[in-house]
């Protein structure tokens, strides 16, 4: 009886009833896929959102730690493996193409689901894009917190930590790094206003971190803002070159970037 009640409260089951009763025209297209999801849930006797009839989130999985902010119950009703497949597919396709040239059909194919079903979980491409963007920002923030870099007062240590975080992401999945870098170069008018706003929020947090750093070690004639822009552009360009060449080797990137850090230190720090 308990299992039946849990299934009845599952968003997948509710979606199935919706298409049968409210939207029969779309039923023939989506019903087979919804049935598969429902059967998977019954066989696995698990639902990442349901516990004692209440919706909860599974934060044990690395990919999904930050994703709860999107509040997409239909997506979270999927088995964890299928959630991850969609996320990985989204990072891969958006990481390989501009927003305009990244088709939802390619993401659906890479995830092993139908295009209509992907639109069932994400209403449009823009919603999926910003879901992935927010997830990556959260994952990066989690990495930085776990590494203790928010506690440092050393500018170069912070800059190195941010880059090492991206290297760690690349080590886990190069598509994440490609997606992250592409967001800096994206110019599509459909997403630019919202993307610019999100970028502004990310930069605001960076400014808060910078305000706490010890600047007494820098040469007095240095324009710090100009120096920071120069280093950021160089770092992004360096990583982007590796992504474009398809040679994302985390160990090589980390070693070469440490050499860059030492070079910048020789230019900008006070001479002892």
């Amino acid at each position: 009886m308990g299992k039946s009640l849990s299934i009845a409260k599952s968003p997948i089951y509710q979606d199935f009833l919706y298409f049968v009763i409210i939207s029969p025209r779309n039923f023939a297209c989506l019903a087979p896929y919804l049935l598969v999801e429902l059967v998977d849930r019954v066989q696995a006797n698990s639902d990442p959102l349901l516990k004692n009839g209440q919706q909860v989130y599974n934060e044990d999985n690395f990919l999904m730690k930050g994703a709860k902010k999107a509040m997409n119950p239909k997506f979270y009703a999927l088995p964890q493996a299928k959630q991850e497949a969609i996320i990985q597919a989204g990072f891969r396709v958006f990481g390989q193409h501009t927003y305009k040239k990244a088709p939802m059909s390619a993401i659906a194919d890479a995830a092993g689901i139908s295009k209509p079903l992907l639109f069932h979980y994400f209403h449009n491409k823009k919603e999926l894009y910003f879901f992935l963007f927010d997830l990556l920002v959260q994952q990066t923030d989690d990495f930085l917190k776990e590494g203790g870099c928010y506690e440092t007062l050393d500018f170069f240590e912070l800059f190195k930590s941010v880059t090492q975080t991206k290297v760690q992401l690349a080590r886990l999945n190069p598509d994440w790094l490609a997606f992250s870098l592409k967001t800096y170069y994206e110019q599509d008018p459909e997403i630019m206003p919202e993307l610019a706003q999100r970028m502004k929020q990310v930069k605001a947090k960076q400014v808060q971190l910078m305000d706490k750093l010890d600047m007494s070690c820098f040469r007095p004639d240095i324009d710090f803002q100009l120096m920071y822009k120069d280093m950021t552009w160089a770092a992004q360009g360096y990583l982007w070159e590796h992504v474009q060449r398809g040679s994302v080797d985390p160990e090589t990137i980390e070693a070469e970037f440490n050499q860059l850090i030492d070079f910048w230190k020789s230019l900008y720090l006070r001479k002892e």
Side-chain angles (χ1 to χ4, degrees):
M1 181 66 176
K3 183 187 295 187
S4 298
L5 288 174
S6 177
I7 294 170
K9 292 182 179 180
S10 169
I12 286 291
Y13 180 79
Q14 294 168 1
D15 291 339
F16 183 76
L17 290 181
Y18 168 82
F19 281 106
V20 172
I21 300 171
I22 306 299
S23 186
R25 183 172 301 177
N26 294 324
F27 177 73
C29 180
L30 284 178
Y33 301 98
L34 294 173
L35 275 172
V36 169
E37 303 297 342
L38 186 59
V39 170
D40 284 349
R41 191 78 76 257
V42 173
Q43 290 178 341
N45 192 25
S46 64
D47 190 323
L49 272 183
L50 293 174
K51 184 176 182 182
N52 299 326
Q54 301 296 319
Q55 290 191 342
V56 297
Y57 291 98
N58 178 5
E59 293 197 10
D60 294 331
N61 177 264
F62 172 81
L63 275 174
M64 305 312 300
K65 284 175 69 177
K68 65 181 182 180
K69 290 187 176 181
M71 298 302 289
N72 188 334
K74 293 179 181 178
F75 175 74
Y76 291 120
L78 287 168
Q80 185 171 295
K82 292 192 176 182
Q83 294 179 38
E84 294 176 4
I86 294 173
I87 288 172
Q88 296 283 22
F91 280 133
R92 183 176 308 118
V93 174
F94 282 125
Q96 293 173 349
H97 306 281
T98 62
Y99 175 82
K100 184 177 182 178
K101 294 184 178 181
M104 290 288 273
S105 57
I107 297 174
D109 289 343
I113 63 174
S114 72
K115 182 179 175 181
L117 192 58
L118 182 59
F119 277 112
H120 177 62
Y121 301 126
F122 297 93
H123 296 115
N124 51 54
K125 184 165 67 171
K126 180 178 177 181
E127 181 180 314
L128 175 58
Y129 182 89
F130 284 115
F131 170 86
L132 295 172
F133 180 91
D134 292 342
L135 173 61
L136 191 61
V137 169
Q138 183 63 46
Q139 293 299 339
T140 303
D141 190 59
D142 289 344
F143 260 118
L144 293 173
K145 287 178 180 177
E146 291 168 6
C149 71
Y150 287 160
E151 301 169 9
T152 184
L153 298 178
D154 187 300
F155 168 79
F156 287 105
E157 284 303 313
L158 176 61
F159 198 85
K160 182 188 293 186
S161 295
V162 172
T163 303
Q164 287 176 337
T165 295
K166 294 184 178 181
V167 171
Q168 289 182 56
L169 291 173
R171 184 178 287 113
L172 290 169
N173 191 326
D175 295 323
W176 297 358
L177 177 60
F179 175 84
S180 173
L181 294 171
K182 269 193 173 292
T183 61
Y184 286 91
Y185 302 98
E186 185 58 65
Q187 297 294 322
D188 194 285
E190 181 181 346
I191 60 171
M192 271 306 297
E194 193 168 343
L195 182 59
Q197 183 62 32
R198 277 172 160 80
M199 288 291 194
K200 184 178 179 180
Q201 293 171 355
V202 172
K203 290 179 181 177
K205 189 163 188 176
Q206 292 175 349
V207 170
Q208 290 178 349
L209 290 174
M210 296 298 175
D211 288 342
K212 299 189 300 182
L213 298 177
D214 178 14
M215 301 300 179
S216 62
C217 58
F218 288 95
R219 287 167 38 196
D221 59 326
I222 291 296
D223 183 328
F224 180 78
Q225 294 300 326
L226 186 59
M227 179 200 76
Y228 178 65
K229 284 183 180 180
D230 178 62
M231 291 176 60
T232 300
W233 291 339
Q236 296 292 354
Y238 170 79
L239 292 172
W240 179 249
E241 182 182 351
H242 278 270
V243 170
Q244 290 293 90
R245 293 203 312 251
S247 59
V248 181
D249 177 39
E251 284 71 26
T252 299
I253 291 175
E254 190 165 2
E256 291 181 352
F257 200 80
N258 284 338
Q259 292 179 347
L260 271 176
I261 290 286
D262 291 337
F263 173 70
W264 284 325
K265 283 182 177 180
S266 70
L267 289 180
Y268 299 128
L269 292 182
R270 291 175 181 267
K271 304 298 182 182
E272 296 182 358

